[in-house]
Amino acid sequence: MSQKQLTLPVSGMTCANCAVTVERSVRKLEGVSEAAVNFASERVTLMYDDSLVRPEAVIERIQKAGYDVPQASVDLAITGMTCANCAATVTRALRKVEGVLDAEVNYATEHASVRLMVGVPREALVAAVEKAGYGVVQADGEAEELDDAERLAREAEVRHQERRLLVGLLFTVPLFLLSMGRDFGILGHWAHEPWMNVLFWVLATPVQFYVGWDYYVGGYKALRNGSANMDVLVALGSSTAYFYSILITLGILAGHVYFETAAAIITLIVAGKLLEVRAKGRTSEAIKKLMGLRAKTASVIRDGQEVEIPVAQVRIGDVVIVRPGEKIPVDGVVLEGHSAVDESMITGESLPVDKQPGMDVIGATLNRQGMLKFEATRVGRETALAQIIRLVEQAQGSKAPIQKIADQVAAVFVPAVIVLAAITFGLWMIGTGDFTAALVRMIAVLVIACPCAMGLATPTAIIVGMGKGAETGILFKNSEALERAHRLTAVVLDKTGTLTQGEPSVTDVVISHSAGLDEAELLALAASAERGSEHPLGEAIVRAARERGLTVSEPGRFEAVVGQGVTAEVGGRRVLVGNLALMRANQVGLNGLEAEADRLQAQARTAMWLAVDGQAAAVIAVADTLKEGSVEAVRRLHELGLTVVMMTGDNPATAGAIAREVGIDRVFAEIQPGDKASHVARLQAEGLTVGMVGDGINDAPALAQADVGIAIGTGTDVAMEAADVTLMSGDLRGVSRSIGLSKATMRTIKQNLFWAFGYNTVLIPIAAGILAPVAGAPPLLQQLHPILAAFAMAFSSVSVVSNSLRLRSRKV
């Protein structure tokens, strides 16, 4: 039992009773032996058993009691990691820092996400990482921003690997050729001259101690931290071959030298590491593209003059001018001008969006046509693009549940391989008495084992998948959401604003044969009568008339009749617009339009009667129309094998009509907003894995209740806390795209894990010599040479990353 002390700041306490409540709540946790709250300093100090309780559980208990623990998060770019075990070492080092609540290190992104209490200095985290033997990228004079510093650090890493590979090839190639020449008798009488082994020694030494020095340093740091990583395996394998060969050269032992084996092991693994670093760089190209969208400068009005300034200097309230062909530098609201703006890089929508005064514009989008003058409303880290980048980076850095298996195996993998290598050596020595043969098999086992592939299998696919989603306007909150989405069996669609536009519009105008007026004239009369109305249906008629360019006159003798409609005089005519009750109350002749009204009502439309001078002239149908693509979106969901459910506050008849039009499987009608979550729970109780699609605001409880909450965004609503997935555009087809992307990503992860585990499961026993006694087995596999083992190990992780990169070409 390991007792630890933890001190947490607590906010929200207003009196001594609050302190007692917090103390009592914390003490109820199993594993907490002592707890004391200081009301004056607003802190709780406790002693706890870290095998039974984590700091997160303490924080959750304090929050349930009605108080809070102020927290912050820090992201660190880590250097010097060579495998998943290194990431685990850095994670442990960060979690030991006082005030750190949790830390996750992603080997693929080489980033650490740290959750800590407010007030913990960044320097303490950096010191912990450096003490563990790794580095942290920090901005300096050459790189003003951390992004630039990280880019320079990654470029320096590539150059370092290239330099190592070049030196390795320079010495290993002639060494390998000379060795092969001796083995095949090409070198003649020189082959067995004593100085030949010395020459091999001279050629192998720069490779062993310059090219391979990183493995010695990495292995030492790992062992110092009480763990073992890939560096330990490479250093052990190559050193065994190298120092054994020295003993042969000095005449202490007799036998064949393996200097070329030691050099080839290191050079091949460096080659693989270089390819891996380059491939990992390509996995995050989506983020780099997003960062590249940012405008560098902005034209603003200062002291009545237009001046060009760096975009970082734009302030909220500045008036910004954007000309055709220029990028919009920050988020804002249009003050003057009309234009079409290409927002595809943010929302995924291919068609330009028309902009006019009062409409929002998004930073990094492209102004296509007219000049716009707008007021800056969000700048710097608050812009939509900055939030998207932050969300994607955080999501890519999170760990999917499926990765836990690989992490658990990686934690014991290297020690297990070292033990297995020792057993291999012992068994072959006992069975054959051939020291050299046993040594060669031991080296092959050490070198062929690859923990890197297991460490990269999940995160590389996650990075590419999420990046692909971001490019098309699909934002996953974290890796867990991406994983859960592929298991969905049902999708619930909120009707208003999701399937439909969210506001009524005119869909039909059915004219009486005796009206004597055409559709445009009748619509203009109805709109003029409704001009003074504030009812949504009346506003829809006015809007329809104006969209068609009709003249909407000022009505005379206007009267709103509650529950029925309006009456007015327009151009000397008495006009009534309303329901059937209004017509009957005013003894209006219906002129045979009752059947048409019933037909429209059956199609989930509201039938508005229009009477002119005492006679029914037309029935105007108003409805909340379906969004473009809604029918196709539902069809695509069905193709994915999902049950599609609609939830609405409409009556069953109206809801049923819409469901039939779209192709919905099940309908929940007359649902109050507060009851949506309970209906999602009802579906879950039926055994369905439910995705809820809504606007992210009114539907927040239902989104939170669902297994996966999917929020339809507007292009600027990025941080939808209740949702697991945010669709930046309002296109419902994004739901099927997000689920399809999740399925493709999970399929890639499973392929990667199958390869990573299969590779080690199959090749480690072969390297140990399991096929040696099998008659008919290929000689190459009966005695696997360490050079071939190194080749296989070097390219196993590259194959995993390359498979993940295939997701980039997938059509979403």
Side-chain angles (χ1 to χ4, degrees):
M1 188 171 91
S2 174
Q3 285 284 318
K4 286 191 174 181
Q5 181 175 305
L6 177 66
T7 301
L8 297 171
V10 181
S11 61
M13 295 191 296
T14 57
C15 65
N17 274 19
C18 297
V20 172
T21 302
V22 172
E23 192 173 301
R24 193 166 51 239
S25 297
V26 172
R27 278 183 173 164
K28 288 179 181 177
L29 275 173
E30 183 184 358
V32 174
S33 56
E34 296 177 34
V37 177
N38 188 316
F39 175 56
S41 64
E42 295 185 300
R43 290 181 179 274
V44 57
T45 302
L46 58 139
M47 296 295 296
Y48 69 100
D49 180 355
D50 63 352
S51 66
L52 295 175
V53 65
R54 293 274 299 151
E56 290 87 346
V58 179
I59 293 169
E60 188 178 330
R61 180 57 65 95
I62 292 171
Q63 289 171 337
K64 278 186 177 178
Y67 306 92
D68 202 6
V69 177
Q71 300 171 48
S73 59
V74 174
D75 189 72
L76 303 174
I78 310 295
T79 59
M81 295 192 297
T82 57
C83 69
N85 283 61
C86 298
T89 300
V90 177
T91 301
R92 284 195 301 272
L94 287 168
R95 284 177 176 171
K96 288 177 182 176
V97 176
E98 187 175 354
V100 169
L101 301 171
D102 195 22
E104 278 190 1
V105 179
N106 190 312
Y107 170 54
T109 61
E110 297 179 289
H111 272 246
S113 298
V114 187
R115 193 160 56 83
L116 36 74
M117 293 185 295
V118 173
V120 177
R122 191 175 191 271
E123 291 74 17
L125 305 177
V126 174
V129 173
E130 290 176 346
K131 187 179 177 182
Y134 303 90
V136 178
V137 177
Q138 307 218 51
D140 53 25
E142 188 179 356
E144 293 181 4
E145 294 187 9
L146 193 58
D147 291 339
D148 295 331
E150 188 176 347
R151 176 179 53 80
L152 291 171
R154 303 306 179 211
E155 288 173 358
E157 169 67 11
V158 171
R159 288 194 300 272
H160 174 63
Q161 296 292 349
E162 288 173 339
R163 192 162 53 247
R164 290 173 69 201
L165 179 60
L166 183 63
V167 173
L169 290 172
L170 190 65
F171 288 96
T172 302
V173 170
L175 174 57
F176 185 76
L177 292 175
L178 285 170
S179 178
M180 291 299 101
R182 180 163 71 174
D183 291 346
F184 289 110
I186 298 172
L187 298 182
H189 67 279
W190 288 354
H192 300 289
E193 291 290 334
W195 58 265
M196 185 61 72
N197 282 352
V198 175
L199 176 61
F200 285 6
W201 185 2
V202 170
L203 289 172
T205 300
V207 181
Q208 192 70 33
F209 296 109
Y210 173 74
V211 180
W213 185 247
D214 285 4
Y215 298 121
Y216 284 109
V217 173
Y220 166 72
K221 289 174 179 176
L223 293 172
R224 188 185 67 187
N225 289 306
S227 65
N229 61 3
M230 184 201 78
D231 296 331
V232 173
L233 295 178
V234 176
L236 268 176
S238 63
S239 296
T240 301
Y242 178 81
F243 288 107
Y244 171 74
S245 299
I246 289 177
L247 295 177
I248 299 291
T249 304
L250 296 175
I252 299 171
L253 294 175
H256 182 78
V257 295
Y258 287 93
F259 283 119
E260 82 288 350
T261 299
I265 286 170
I266 290 172
T267 302
L268 281 169
I269 290 172
V270 169
K273 182 59 67 175
L274 175 60
L275 291 173
E276 179 191 313
V277 168
R278 285 178 171 170
K280 282 199 304 186
R282 289 201 297 273
T283 62
S284 58
E285 279 186 1
I287 279 287
K288 292 172 187 171
K289 282 183 185 176
L290 287 172
M291 290 177 173
L293 293 174
R294 293 180 291 201
K296 300 290 186 287
T297 60
S299 296
V300 302
I301 305 296
R302 293 273 172 89
D303 300 323
Q305 299 292 319
E306 182 181 337
V307 293
E308 189 173 285
I309 61 172
V311 72
Q313 295 178 13
V314 178
R315 299 189 298 262
I316 293 175
D318 274 343
V319 175
V320 185
I321 295 174
V322 186
R323 292 177 174 80
E326 293 180 347
K327 281 184 179 178
I328 294 171
V330 296
D331 297 358
V333 177
V334 177
L335 300 174
E336 297 177 20
H338 293 75
S339 183
V341 175
D342 180 1
E343 296 181 347
S344 60
M345 63 289 294
I346 301 293
T347 65
E349 292 281 5
S350 57
L351 296 176
V353 180
D354 291 329
K355 299 293 181 182
Q356 57 191 11
M359 297 185 74
D360 291 329
V361 288
I362 309 170
T365 55
L366 187 63
N367 183 25
R368 288 288 189 191
Q369 294 177 349
M371 188 178 84
L372 290 175
K373 185 182 287 187
F374 70 91
E375 180 184 343
T377 56
R378 292 197 288 192
V379 300
R381 291 177 60 83
E382 300 307 313
T383 62
L385 178 64
Q387 290 185 59
I388 290 170
I389 291 171
R390 193 156 60 247
L391 280 173
V392 175
E393 284 180 331
Q394 288 171 353
Q396 287 181 335
S398 62
K399 285 190 178 182
I402 197 172
Q403 191 175 340
K404 289 177 182 175
I405 304 166
D407 287 347
Q408 288 165 356
V409 173
V412 297
F413 182 78
V414 175
V417 169
I418 293 171
V419 171
L420 187 59
I423 292 171
T424 299
F425 177 81
L427 289 176
W428 279 98
M429 274 297 292
I430 294 168
T432 66
D434 188 339
F435 179 83
T436 302
L439 191 73
V440 168
R441 292 191 187 279
M442 183 185 81
I443 294 169
V445 170
L446 288 170
V447 171
I448 205 166
C450 186
C452 297
M454 289 187 291
L456 292 168
T458 301
T460 50
I462 292 285
I463 293 166
V464 178
M466 287 189 170
K468 184 71 177 177
E471 288 177 355
T472 54
I474 301 168
L475 303 180
F476 290 91
K477 191 173 185 177
N478 49 42
S479 301
E480 191 175 350
L482 180 66
E483 181 175 335
R484 281 202 308 266
H486 92 285
R487 298 196 192 99
L488 293 180
T489 55
V491 172
V492 179
L493 305 174
D494 181 55
K495 191 208 80 171
T496 306
T498 302
L499 276 168
T500 64
Q501 298 288 354
E503 62 178 17
S505 59
V506 172
T507 59
D508 305 85
V509 179
V510 181
I511 304 169
S512 166
H513 295 297
S514 59
L517 298 169
D518 62 22
E519 182 179 319
E521 290 171 317
L522 289 170
L523 189 58
L525 284 173
S528 298
E530 289 281 8
R531 183 172 174 175
S533 171
E534 295 180 356
H535 195 282
L537 299 180
E539 289 174 349
I541 293 173
V542 173
R543 188 165 55 251
R546 285 179 172 157
E547 285 172 356
R548 299 186 194 187
L550 304 178
T551 301
V552 180
S553 309
E554 187 72 35
R557 299 178 66 182
F558 174 84
E559 181 186 355
V561 183
V562 177
Q564 295 185 4
V566 300
T567 65
E569 279 193 5
V570 180
R573 297 173 180 267
R574 186 166 183 261
V575 179
L576 284 73
V577 184
N579 56 25
L580 189 59
L582 181 67
M583 302 297 111
R584 286 175 174 162
N586 288 273
Q587 299 178 339
V588 170
L590 301 180
N591 296 328
L593 288 173
E594 299 99 316
E596 290 296 332
D598 291 341
R599 178 182 64 82
L600 293 169
Q601 293 276 116
Q603 294 175 356
R605 292 163 168 78
T606 300
M608 301 277 286
W609 290 79
L610 169 64
V612 180
D613 294 332
Q615 292 296 316
V619 174
I620 301 172
V622 178
D624 184 4
T625 55
L626 291 172
K627 282 184 178 179
E628 182 185 353
S630 289
V631 175
E632 185 186 350
V634 172
R635 179 180 59 78
R636 287 185 183 180
L637 291 171
H638 282 143
E639 288 173 356
L640 289 170
L642 298 163
T643 299
V644 185
V645 182
M646 185 180 78
M647 203 178 286
T648 178
D650 292 343
N651 62 63
T654 302
I658 294 172
R660 285 190 295 275
E661 186 177 354
V662 183
I664 300 291
D665 299 309
R666 293 177 63 179
V667 178
F668 291 140
E670 295 181 337
I671 304 298
Q672 297 299 313
D675 296 333
K676 291 179 181 179
S678 63
H679 281 78
V680 170
R682 175 177 153 189
L683 290 170
Q684 290 169 325
E686 295 175 15
L688 296 170
T689 306
V690 181
M692 172 72 195
V693 185
D695 62 12
I697 302 165
N698 297 328
D699 305 316
L703 289 170
Q705 172 65 40
D707 296 284
V708 178
I710 304 173
I712 299 279
T714 62
T716 55
D717 267 331
V718 181
M720 294 189 178
E721 289 300 321
D724 299 299
V725 183
T726 297
L727 306 179
M728 293 298 293
S729 74
D731 190 344
L732 194 59
R733 286 168 290 197
V735 177
S736 60
R737 288 202 298 268
S738 65
I739 296 170
L741 180 61
S742 169
K743 287 180 181 291
T745 304
M746 291 309 299
R747 189 162 52 246
T748 301
I749 288 172
K750 288 171 183 175
Q751 289 167 355
N752 287 349
L753 288 172
F754 178 80
W755 165 255
F757 283 109
Y759 163 88
N760 285 294
T761 303
V762 172
L763 290 188
I764 289 176
I766 290 175
I770 198 170
L771 294 181
V774 178
L780 198 66
L781 298 181
Q782 286 180 323
Q783 172 68 69
L784 189 67
H785 196 281
I787 291 178
L788 290 177
F791 180 86
M793 186 271 199
F795 291 93
S796 63
S797 57
V798 176
S799 63
V800 165
V801 179
S802 300
N803 188 47
S804 296
L805 286 170
R806 291 190 310 113
L807 278 169
R808 290 167 56 198
S809 59
R810 186 186 187 277
K811 187 176 179 182
V812 176

